[in-house]
Amino acid sequence: MIDLDDLDRAFLRDLAQEGTLSAGELGRRHGLSQPAAWRRVKRLTEAGILAGQRVLVDRAALGFGVTVFLGVKLATKGRVSLEDFERAVTAIPEVQVVQHVLGLFDYRLRVVARDIADFERVLRRRIMTLPGVGQVEANVLLTEEARPGPLGGASQD
């Protein structure tokens, strides 16, 4: 692990917001030359802190107006049932995220659907028929706010 300074954190915040920023633009924003900014980005990449770029897709613009978080508790536990469930759930296109978690549920899923009726179809025909599914709890997303996370700076207590 490398030590991050304030400039590293500023680069990470900028890149988290706009992953396609060039080293030249990062340098201009923070008073560095393009080569110095590029070396800094390269160091962060080689340390594994920057791990690729992602495109943010507007789900609503694609017609997916509903997001639901599902807690799934498996009826039977064991290595085989975990692997079977994971293999089957990742094949469902509406399931965007699969998280194996510790707590009341075994898995947390992020599911997108066109509307509530579409979600009900996905739940009944695809998710509830998966191997090992026992209890399911749904939470419909109302709003979502992006938070800066650990790169947001020092606490103002």
Side-chain angles (χ1 to χ4, degrees), residues 101-117:
V101 296
L102 182 63
L104 181 62
F105 294 98
D106 299 310
Y107 288 91
R108 185 175 111 111
L109 311 179
R110 182 181 183 122
V111 181
V112 296
R114 299 197 180 284
D115 51 32
I116 291 295

Side-chain angles (χ1 to χ4, degrees), residues 7 13-14 20 39 56 63-64 68 104 106-107 113 115 119 128:
L7 193 52
R13 275 191 301 275
D14 286 352
T20 59
R39 283 191 299 273
L56 184 60
F64 294 96
V68 180
L104 181 62
D106 299 310
Y107 288 91
D115 51 32
F119 168 71
M128 294 304 293

